[in-house]
Amino acid sequence: MAADGPSAGLTPREAAQLEHLSDPAVRDLAWLLFSPNLLRAQPPAGVLAEPFESAAEARATLDWLRAEDAQPDALHRHIAAAQVTRLGRYAECLLAWYLRHGPAARLIAANIALRRSGVTIGECDFLVETQTGRRLHWELAVKCYLHAGDGRAQLADYVGPNLQDRFDVKQRRLLDHQLPLSARAEFASLGHGGPWDAQMFVKGWLFYRDGGTPAEPSGIDPAHARGWWTTRADWPGFAATSAALDGARAWAVLPRLQWLSRRRRSGDEAAAGLFDIPTLSAQLALHSGPTMVAAFASDDDAGGWRETSRGFVVPDAWPAQALEFARG
């Protein structure tokens, strides 16, 4: 949230208040709304979605999030009913809740399937109407990509941890297929009166080897949320150095649905599910693929623990495989 870049529409003092939200789902929703985009605008087709039309809407959203944080049970029931297991669907679930109950744009329809001759040709994520009457088509994507390149500044060098996805491929699909869906004749026949202005809502994290800062493609927002990646062989040394730099005292594996906002945990290390470097190294040895982990430091202000950094620990053979996938 505020620590990961500018928070649209809020003053620095207001943005800092996002870090005081305590409920994990509310923190994830705040991150979805206020974290930096992964991409710059790609006109004319790739217009960026803006959750707020004014600073007043952003402040009203902050107040609404505080109220949700005080009473999050309804949001929790909404998430449980959706039975989400994938990160993208979890993000969709959070954004839908905001559009139904928040103080800014309102939801018209979600997950609208387009079919031709009985075959699905695409699905529009969200149709929304702003407070001033603008009608928008939002395509939401939440991605985690690792920079696998050897100095190149190309989107193709950003790959998914399981080597099944590349940033350049995702961008092309957004621009060439998903965003134009609401302008198709098949969409007009569904009864959602337009025209709709298509916009991309792309959030996430980009990870760099050992926390380095290579050249980045011009299309990436320089304020994007960022982390690190390292190999299993290098991780103990990297973790020890990281602890010396940012005060990290303990570590934890982050399940997939905890990949949005920076995490907070309470209790002592055992109750918080935190481990020292040797213990987590032993756990990582049992994993077959890349694993996201986070470093935690004690939080003197709020008590408990706060995340100080996150990254992927990958098998030792992964870097060569990733470079080949990026070049493929």
Side-chain angles (χ1 to χ4, degrees), residues 133-186:
R134 297 177 63 204
R135 297 170 74 78
L136 308 176
H137 161 208
W138 283 353
E139 283 296 317
L140 174 65
V142 175
K143 309 300 293 186
C144 289
Y145 290 118
L146 287 67
H147 183 266
D150 53 3
R152 292 196 320 176
Q154 297 184 22
L155 280 183
D157 292 316
Y158 292 84
V159 301
N162 293 322
L163 303 184
Q164 297 177 343
D165 187 16
R166 273 189 356 206
F167 206 174
D168 62 321
V169 175
K170 179 59 181 178
Q171 183 199 48
R172 283 200 304 269
R173 182 164 178 80
L174 272 171
L175 297 179
D176 298 341
H177 178 71
Q178 291 173 252
L179 290 172
L181 287 172
S182 56
R184 294 182 65 121
E186 295 89 349

Side-chain angles (χ1 to χ4, degrees), residues 150-310:
D150 53 3
R152 292 196 320 176
Q154 297 184 22
L155 280 183
D157 292 316
Y158 292 84
V159 301
N162 293 322
L163 303 184
Q164 297 177 343
D165 187 16
R166 273 189 356 206
F167 206 174
D168 62 321
V169 175
K170 179 59 181 178
Q171 183 199 48
R172 283 200 304 269
R173 182 164 178 80
L174 272 171
L175 297 179
D176 298 341
H177 178 71
Q178 291 173 252
L179 290 172
L181 287 172
S182 56
R184 294 182 65 121
E186 295 89 349
F187 188 83
S189 68
L190 296 178
H192 299 295
W196 300 91
D197 291 331
Q199 302 178 342
M200 56 183 186
F201 200 123
V202 185
K203 299 298 181 83
W205 293 77
L206 301 181
F207 299 84
Y208 299 89
R209 184 158 196 175
D210 298 329
T213 55
E216 296 167 358
S218 60
I220 288 180
D221 187 328
H224 65 270
R226 64 180 64 219
W228 46 264
W229 67 266
T230 192
T231 63
R232 286 198 193 123
D234 291 342
W235 185 74
F238 175 82
T241 301
S242 177
L245 291 175
D246 61 22
R249 288 180 45 200
W251 297 78
V253 171
L254 294 187
R256 188 173 294 270
L257 295 188
Q258 294 183 18
W259 287 8
L260 299 187
S261 65
R262 293 190 183 275
R263 314 318 292 177
R264 290 186 178 273
R265 297 195 177 183
S266 58
D268 60 21
E269 290 186 37
L274 302 177
F275 303 94
D276 60 18
I277 293 171
T279 303
L280 193 62
S281 293
Q283 291 186 24
L284 292 171
L286 303 176
H287 292 224
S288 60
T291 305
M292 188 188 285
V293 304
F296 288 83
S298 57
D299 190 337
D300 296 332
D301 294 331
W305 303 83
R306 59 179 175 81
E307 179 187 326
T308 59
S309 73
R310 64 173 55 185

Side-chain angles (χ1 to χ4, degrees), residues 12-103:
R13 183 175 181 180
E14 290 167 337
Q17 296 176 30
L18 294 169
E19 293 301 327
H20 295 293
L21 299 171
S22 59
D23 181 77
V26 176
R27 286 178 59 83
D28 285 343
L29 176 51
W31 177 90
L32 193 64
L33 295 171
F34 286 102
S35 66
N37 295 290
L38 282 189
L39 290 172
R40 296 178 185 265
Q42 311 281 313
V47 177
L48 295 178
E50 297 290 347
F52 321 110
E53 286 193 304
S54 65
E57 282 190 1
R59 289 192 294 270
T61 295
L62 176 59
D63 292 339
W64 179 83
L65 286 166
R66 286 176 179 154
E68 290 287 301
D69 197 48
Q71 294 184 310
D73 290 352
L75 173 58
H76 293 175
R77 289 193 295 270
H78 168 71
I79 296 169
Q83 297 182 323
V84 293
T85 58
R86 295 192 294 117
L87 188 66
R89 288 299 185 188
Y90 175 53
E92 287 182 5
C93 187
L94 292 173
L95 186 56
W97 180 260
Y98 174 72
L99 291 170
R100 290 189 180 105
H101 303 286

